[in-house]
Every structure is written in structure tokens, then in C-alpha cells.
Amino acid sequence: MNMPAPFFSIIVPVYNRPAEVSDLCESLLAQTDTDFELVIVEDGSTVDCRAVVENACRRGLRAEYFYKGNEGRSIARNYGLERARGSYFLFFDSDCVIPPAYIATLKEELRERPLDCFGGPDAAHESFSDIQKAINYSMTSFLTTGGIRGGKVQLEKFTPRTFNMGYSRRVYERVGGFREMFSEDIDMSTRIRRDGFSIGLVRPAFVWHKRRVDFRRFFRQVYVFGMSRITLKLLYPDSLKVVHLLPAVFVAGTVALLLLGIFVSPWWLLPLGAYFAAIFVFALAATRSLRIAFLAVPAAVIQLGGYGLGFIKAFVSKILLRRGRNVEEEIEIRRGK
């Protein structure tokens, strides 16, 4: 006999991450509300997580596992969307761990404040490494992101991202799936908002997000984020806000201050020192750890520097020199061609 459709379908694309999927499944097995299904889409992995999902199913998790050729995370999510049965679709990254009351909290929040599309913040679990905690602080601090990832103070409208995002089946039926591009979740949120659907932050529905485990991979990630912001600007000319320019300003300002400090006077280095000291102090207050506070400073430099460099490179290449994909091609992507 077929089981009734669940309230939520959790869709997770996976590529060579069985250990992460194991932690994710364990956290879902611990949910206080089980009105959900898990849809794992293995995107051409060479090290798959089938055994992990099957083991979780034997222990009571309602889950389905699909394996497909490697085409990218957006196509994998769309593959899961086509097979999901829930009234709402939830999206997590495979490196997320879900607090036990997440499903119950989200369901209650949506009953009190119905939303077509929603997202929640992320946090660092106590079991994460100090580098992961420092990166998490940097990615969520107002001093580095302006609160755009769900902070209490925000410099722009909240935009759900696929480490913790969801929307209704009605949204999917009208707006469709994800496009295969960098920052596909921002693109999706923008399309949803422009189609007249409501979008909101559900602050109590947070996830523990492991993020990158070292600074090298973190730099590569934020560098791509910076480049993709220019793609989004070409697709949506009014989407570029002042807060998105700040990392590029940080890069240019840091270079200028370093040169002035070396060739003119060391006093020019004072603004940088004050900014890094502020990051350290606020990180120490937030994490209560000297080591994490120290690590938060290079994490912030890598985040702002990597994003800023990617932004500057894409701005020069795509907008000033008009190399690579041009505006007309970006518009074709926007139209789904």
C-alpha cells in the first residue's frame, strides 16, 4: 500500500560524500516530527552513499536513493524535484546536520506565517573543527557579510540559499527548477520573488553547516561566489547592491593602505588593524574561544579577498572587456534557452 504523501520532501544532491550523508541521515532519524521524506540524488559519484541511505531506511528513515550521471547539482536537484511527493520541498547541502526540532519548528512557523518560499540561517555545531567554526563565523558575521545570510541586522533583503531553503509545490509548478549555473539558489530566489511569491526568513529553523574544512578550499568557494555575482548582475541588472561591492572595495582598499603604509607612513595601516581587531573581539564574544577568534581573522581576509578578487576579475572580463558569455547569452539563460 502506498504511503500518504509527506508534508516535506528533503532533496539533497550528493557527489562523493558518504560520510557527510551519514551524519545528515543520523540527524534526520532524530527528528521529533517525521512528516517528511528524504530524496538523495547521487550525481555520478565514484564513491556512492547507497549503503548509507539503505541502512538509514532500515532504521526507520523514509528515504529514496537515486543514482544518475554527473551533470551538476542543479540538474540533480531538479531530478529529485520530479520524483518528490511532498507539499513543500526542502533543500540542504550534504554537509548539513539538522537539529532535532527542525521539521517541527518549520511546520509550526509556516502554519503561523504561511510563506511560498523560505530559508533559515546556519550555525556551527560544537563538534565542528575550529577552522570550520571560524569560517562559519566569518560567513555569518555582520562585519563580513552585512547580515545577508540571515543575520539579525541585514543590508539587503533576505535571499534563501540551498544549504537551508524551501518552497511550495505551487512555486515549483509555476517557476520550475534550478538553472545549472553558479549561485543558482540566488537566481531561483530572484525568479520566485519576481513572480510575486512571498519569501521570508524563518530564523528558528537553522541548520548546522560544516562548510569547507580548510582555507584553500574556502578561498576557491568564495572566489566563485564573487564571479557569479557578475553573472547575476547581467541577468538581473537591478540585483547588484552596495553590500555586494564591499569585498571588492576591501581588496582595493587593502592594497592601497598596504602601499601607503610601506611607502608613506605606517599610520596608514591603522584602519586595517582596527578592522581585524574588531573581527577578533566580536568573534571572541560570539564563540568564547581565543583560537577560533584568531582563526576568524584570516577566515575573514580569505572570504572578503577571495570574493572581491572573483568579483573584480568577472567585472573586468564580462562587463568591461565583454569576454566569455555576453549579456545576450545571459538573457537566454534567464529565459531558459
Side-chain angles (χ1 to χ4, degrees), residues 124-289:
H125 191 269
E126 61 182 13
S127 66
F128 293 179
S129 72
D130 287 345
I131 287 181
Q132 287 175 315
K133 291 175 181 177
I135 290 174
N136 182 272
Y137 173 79
S138 180
M139 290 290 282
T140 56
S141 171
F142 181 81
L143 291 174
T144 54
T145 67
I148 63 176
R149 299 175 71 92
K152 292 183 179 179
V153 180
Q154 301 175 20
L155 293 182
E156 72 158 341
K157 289 181 180 179
F158 172 70
T159 300
R161 289 168 167 82
T162 48
F163 63 79
N164 184 7
M165 174 183 182
Y167 52 74
S168 68
R169 180 173 289 277
R170 189 165 68 97
V171 168
Y172 172 57
E173 290 171 350
R174 184 186 301 180
V175 180
F178 293 86
R179 296 192 178 103
E180 185 55 36
M181 57 181 286
F182 292 121
S183 294
E184 73 283 356
D185 45 6
I186 300 177
D187 170 72
M188 172 60 79
S189 295
T190 302
R191 288 158 53 202
I192 291 171
R193 178 174 278 120
R194 291 189 170 207
D195 225 345
F197 289 106
S198 60
I199 297 180
L201 168 65
V202 183
R203 196 178 300 282
F206 69 93
V207 301
W208 292 307
H209 197 185
K210 295 178 185 176
R211 300 192 181 281
R212 297 300 182 262
V213 296
D214 60 55
F215 285 149
R216 179 179 58 84
R217 281 184 278 186
F218 181 47
F219 175 85
R220 282 166 40 192
Q221 180 188 45
V222 293
Y223 183 81
V224 170
F225 286 170
M227 293 185 69
S228 67
R229 179 51 65 179
I230 296 301
T231 300
L232 291 166
K233 186 254 188 281
L234 293 174
L235 286 168
Y236 310 104
D238 60 347
S239 67
L240 190 65
K241 308 299 182 184
V242 172
V243 67
H244 304 136
L245 303 175
L246 295 181
V249 172
F250 170 83
V251 170
T254 297
V255 171
L257 290 172
L258 287 174
L259 291 174
L260 289 169
I262 293 171
F263 295 108
V264 179
S265 168
W267 286 105
W268 284 102
L269 301 177
L270 188 59
L272 284 177
Y275 179 62
F276 296 149
I279 291 173
F280 173 82
V281 170
F282 279 89
L284 180 62
T287 66
R288 301 179 182 273
S289 167

Side-chain angles (χ1 to χ4, degrees), residues 95-106:
D95 60 353
C96 288
V97 177
I98 316 304
Y102 179 96
I103 295 295
T105 298
L106 180 57

